[in-house]
Amino acid sequence: MNNRVLVLGGYGVFGGRLSAALARQGGIEVLVAGRSLHHAEAHCAVHGGTPISLDRSSRSLATDVAALRPRIVIDAAGPFQAYGDAPYALAHAALACGAHYIDLSDDARFSAGISELDTDARRKGCVVLSGASSVPGLSSAAVKDLAAGLTQIDRIESAILPGNRAPRGLSVIHAILAQVGQPIPITRGSLPAQVTGWSGTRRETLSLPGRASLHRWAAHMGAPDLQLFPGYFNARTVLFRAGLELPLLHHGLRILGLPVRMGWIRSLAPLAPMLRRCAQAFETFGSDRGGMSVELRGRTTSGQYETRRWTLIAGAGDGPEVPTLVAQALCRRLLCRDRPAADLPAGARACLCEVSLADILAAARGLDIQTATQTTPIQPVFRTALGSGFAALPAAVQALHDTVDASRWQGTATVTTGAHPLARIIRRLIGFPAAGQDVPVQVDVLREGAREIWVRRFGHKRFRSILAPFGTPGDGTVTERFGPLCFVIALRQTAGRLAYPVTRGWCLGLPLPRRLLPRSDAVEYADPAGAFCFDVAVRLPLIGLIVRYRGRLTPTTGPLPPPDPPS
């Protein structure tokens, strides 16, 4: 039986680890291929395998591959987004000689586009899988495990945080730089949105029992998950982040991306060789520990919301082994005589849940890699504050406040403003709308951590507040912050109407005297047709009316703002 596996890029950062792992398994004839026969020979002298000179850009690629008679062809070279006009040349060459094809792509467009080979792959009974790497191969398997028992997935967020001493291949550097400062399309609350590559930096913590935690900076980056998970898992929001261990390198890369973001230069990708040399100068700093996390927010069959988080931490320099685990598991299945061919159906597709998380982690035995799963209950802010009283609210009011990720509402309002000169100044400072009839209104409710960010737009005016639980759950109190101003609101639910009276307040952390507190005559309710309605009037002592806006909202579609941390 043919057990020959051809690994292109088989002596590179990830391909070298993959070909070495396959050679250690025994019973597999590993062909270590690349443009440099010298490098292939050096690798095989240490790790085993047969060195092969193979150039994927060669016009004779199909003939060269066929002459090697592989059963499986693996592309571990990359960068996949830079493959030009014939991105699937190696996959075509594999199919031409009846071989299965696997690649370690982490590029969304490349992995999604592999389906164009589906008809040919089915006709020849071959399996063609793109993205058998940390994303989407491993991340999708983790999502499948985490999603068991959930009736709704509101958010999937993954992060990859390598150690600074992990080797940096030129293709990996090129792939990162090609995204820095570039617009990256995402899905947020089932709506199209956009983030900027290497923006939205925040601190991530990876923790496992009995191991020292990892604390790293992470920023938005592109990954196949962003394009594939919303449809495959019916997920309302999908995000992906990556980071560098050394703050100097992480934040320095963000600064380097500013000219791209401003449109002054097209891309940082041409700087890959130079920046790789700069990064190598810092290799002695930091650690050889890295990690990965996959987090879900969703609703259980009992109607409760949960956050489920899968964490992986790799030590002793074993982090670069992680992107190879899915390909190892796939090779074992494709070469196994005891499992039917239907176990991996023929066809070309992105590598989503093709192997179980248990099978993938089985390939990590003997490595310093540990994983764990943690489940934490979560609740929307207003459910927490109102307790059992939340269920007494009209359905439309519940729906607007039942957000654990993101939602958008639109409608119209009538706006009335006070005439006092100070009222005009306050409206401008906060961003309250000007007076008008049938003013277009848009409200975005965005959950970040334990808080909700409310972004309200009245015509061209925009103002934002941040709501958070306060006091004891069920006592009806929340805080709402407008820039330097923060107020305690004692929510009251009476006869299907939710009122927002202000009871305390601070400015820049200093308590406000009660006589200076604003009076908030704000109520939410449902009209006879069941639509969400609001009537908000804000007044100040000695000044009188600041603004009053009343109208109705319905859930709608449209691009949502990026999910960056609130200031």
Side-chain angles (χ1 to χ4, degrees):
M1 182 178 181
N2 184 356
N3 63 350
R4 187 171 294 175
V5 179
L6 171 65
V7 184
L8 183 65
Y11 49 77
V13 172
F14 300 126
R17 284 165 170 77
L18 174 58
S19 56
L22 294 175
R24 287 195 300 269
Q25 289 183 20
I28 300 177
E29 185 181 355
V30 182
L31 307 182
V32 179
R35 286 193 296 266
S36 171
L37 181 61
H38 172 72
H39 287 131
E41 289 173 338
H43 174 91
C44 293
V46 176
H47 302 287
T50 302
I52 300 291
S53 176
L54 185 68
D55 187 349
R56 72 172 308 281
S57 62
S58 171
R59 293 184 178 181
S60 61
L61 178 65
T63 303
D64 296 340
V65 170
L68 297 171
R69 297 183 296 107
R71 187 173 181 202
I72 303 174
V73 175
I74 301 177
D75 189 348
F80 294 89
Q81 67 271 27
Y83 272 4
D85 296 333
Y88 306 116
L90 187 61
H92 280 292
L95 289 175
C97 64
H100 303 298
Y101 168 87
I102 300 168
D103 68 48
L104 274 59
S105 166
D106 59 359
D107 180 69
R109 183 178 299 177
F110 187 96
S111 294
I114 199 78
S115 60
E116 71 179 49
L117 281 65
D118 186 60
T119 300
D120 193 21
R122 288 175 181 272
R123 184 171 60 250
K124 295 183 177 179
C126 294
V127 175
V128 175
L129 298 174
S130 180
S133 187
S134 302
V135 290
L138 175 54
S139 58
S140 65
V143 170
K144 184 178 180 180
D145 258 32
L146 293 171
L150 294 181
T151 60
Q152 171 184 312
I153 298 178
D154 289 274
R155 181 165 173 154
I156 301 173
E157 184 164 8
S158 306
I160 294 179
L161 307 168
N164 185 62
R165 296 181 188 173
R168 301 172 175 87
L170 184 59
S171 63
V172 174
I173 299 287
H174 186 281
I176 293 173
L177 295 179
Q179 297 187 54
V180 175
Q182 305 285 356
I184 298 174
I186 64 169
T187 299
R188 184 92 200 266
S190 298
L191 307 173
Q194 184 174 283
V195 295
T196 301
W198 218 257
S199 71
T201 292
R202 74 180 188 193
R203 196 71 165 162
E204 292 278 354
T205 298
L206 303 185
S207 300
L208 289 177
R211 296 199 70 154
S213 297
L214 295 181
H215 305 281
R216 304 279 168 82
W217 293 103
H220 293 300
M221 284 292 282
D225 303 19
L226 301 178
Q227 184 171 340
L228 300 171
F229 284 9
Y232 190 87
F233 292 109
N234 195 27
R236 291 172 49 81
T237 291
V238 180
L239 304 172
F240 176 77
R241 295 175 187 265
L244 301 176
E245 180 180 8
L246 298 184
L248 175 65
L249 298 183
H250 183 96
H251 297 299
L253 188 55
R254 183 183 180 191
I255 294 171
L256 285 176
L258 289 177
V260 181
R261 195 168 185 172
M262 300 296 291
W264 297 341
I265 61 175
R266 182 174 297 179
S267 171
L268 293 181
L271 302 179
M274 181 189 71
L275 291 181
R276 183 191 184 195
R277 290 192 295 270
C278 292
Q280 288 172 336
F282 290 89
E283 279 187 352
T284 57
F285 300 94
S287 72
D288 61 359
R289 302 178 68 233
M292 173 180 178
S293 67
V294 178
E295 183 177 289
L296 265 65
R297 294 182 196 171
R299 192 167 188 168
T300 67
T301 54
S302 63
Q304 301 300 310
Y305 289 103
E306 290 182 348
T307 294
R308 299 177 177 181
R309 183 179 177 93
W310 175 81
T311 301
L312 176 152
I313 294 180
D318 285 339
E321 303 283 352
V322 174
T324 74
L325 299 179
V326 177
Q328 292 182 49
L330 287 169
C331 285
R332 284 199 301 271
R333 287 182 61 176
L334 289 169
L335 297 174
C336 182
R337 301 179 183 182
D338 301 328
R339 303 182 82 162
D343 200 28
L344 272 175
R349 55 195 179 271
C351 185
L352 296 169
C353 303
E354 296 291 340
V355 282
S356 70
L357 185 60
D359 284 346
I360 296 169
L361 295 179
R365 288 173 185 157
L367 300 174
D368 186 9
I369 293 176
Q370 286 184 271
T371 66
T373 301
Q374 181 182 23
T375 298
T376 306
I378 58 172
Q379 280 202 110
V381 170
F382 281 61
R383 276 187 180 270
T384 300
L386 292 171
S388 59
F390 186 85
L393 294 172
V397 179
Q398 289 189 45
L400 186 137
H401 291 291
D402 214 15
T403 299
V404 293
D405 178 55
S407 63
R408 166 163 288 175
W409 297 70
Q410 285 185 329
T412 58
T414 297
V415 182
T416 306
T417 56
H420 197 287
L422 288 178
R424 290 196 293 270
I425 294 173
I426 292 171
R427 286 196 298 272
R428 289 183 180 179
L429 289 175
I430 295 180
F432 283 142
Q437 298 285 331
D438 296 324
V439 178
V441 180
Q442 177 178 289
V443 178
D444 294 330
V445 183
L446 311 170
R447 172 79 177 233
E448 293 294 342
R451 302 177 291 181
E452 290 177 1
I453 305 167
W454 285 53
V455 183
R456 305 167 179 88
R457 292 174 176 82
F458 288 77
H460 298 296
K461 287 285 187 178
R462 173 186 179 275
F463 66 100
R464 187 179 82 158
S465 66
I466 299 174
L467 289 106
F470 186 79
T472 305
D475 69 0
T477 56
V478 298
T479 60
E480 185 164 20
R481 178 162 65 88
F482 299 84
L485 299 171
C486 184
F487 303 101
V488 174
I489 299 171
L491 300 170
R492 289 203 309 261
Q493 189 276 123
T494 307
R497 297 168 71 90
L498 182 63
Y500 284 68
V502 173
T503 59
R504 297 168 61 188
W506 296 266
C507 179
L508 296 173
L510 300 175
L512 292 172
R514 284 190 174 274
R515 63 180 178 274
L516 296 181
L517 287 178
R519 177 183 170 186
S520 174
D521 297 317
V523 293
E524 297 172 350
Y525 58 96
D527 65 13
F532 176 89
C533 296
F534 59 91
D535 189 344
V536 178
V538 180
R539 295 178 172 85
L540 278 175
L542 305 178
I543 296 176
L545 180 68
I546 304 298
V547 66
R548 180 185 182 187
Y549 47 90
R550 56 192 187 277
R552 55 185 289 170
L553 298 170
T554 56
T556 187
T557 60
L560 278 165
D564 289 337
S567 58

